[in-house]
Amino acid sequence: MISIVLEVNGDRHELEVEPRKLLSDVLRQDLGLTGTHVGCEHGVCGCCTILVDDQPARSCLMLAATADGARIDTVEGLQQPDGTLHPLQEAFHKHHGLQCGFCTPGFLMLASTLYKQAPGMTDEQIRTALGGQLCRCTGYVGIVRAVRAAAALEDER
Ligand code: FES
Ligand code: FES
């Protein structure tokens, strides 16, 4: 076992982990943050996308030990402490950006890095930016609409 420190959604965690343990498993099993979903487990579907030091990363491809000292954001950290949804969460709800919801945490986390630029992007550019995330339900139309709408919802607040 090795000792690591992770700052997850603003909280510091000191953990003892097996060197081979995946970051996705530490988030889900050790910290109980099951909002990070695991689908393919080999870097294809994007369900497990989180932010590591503000950069999107596939947590199923990263060892927790590699993230030692990093600042991590997961979907649980998107809403405000008072329960107010993040504009992206509100937009996904409003524009039907999800059906089963399995892919949604990954989409939300990746989109959180780009939604402010989305109003100036074409649908094709948004689709390309989200191209690494797979959704088996929605056909992506609602997702693109939601990502485009989130910045405006934020401005209305
Ligand atoms: S579970 Fe990580 S990319 Fe699919
Ligand atoms: S909403 Fe079901 S996989 Fe995307």
Side-chain angles (χ1 to χ4, degrees), residues 37-48 58 60:
H37 290 169
V38 174
C40 68
E41 293 185 89
H42 58 272
V44 175
C45 71
C47 285
C48 65
R58 304 204 157 189
C60 76

Side-chain angles (χ1 to χ4, degrees), residues 80-94:
Q80 298 294 313
D82 69 359
T84 304
L85 294 181
H86 186 282
L88 271 171
Q89 292 172 308
E90 201 179 316
F92 268 64
H93 178 249
K94 190 170 172 186

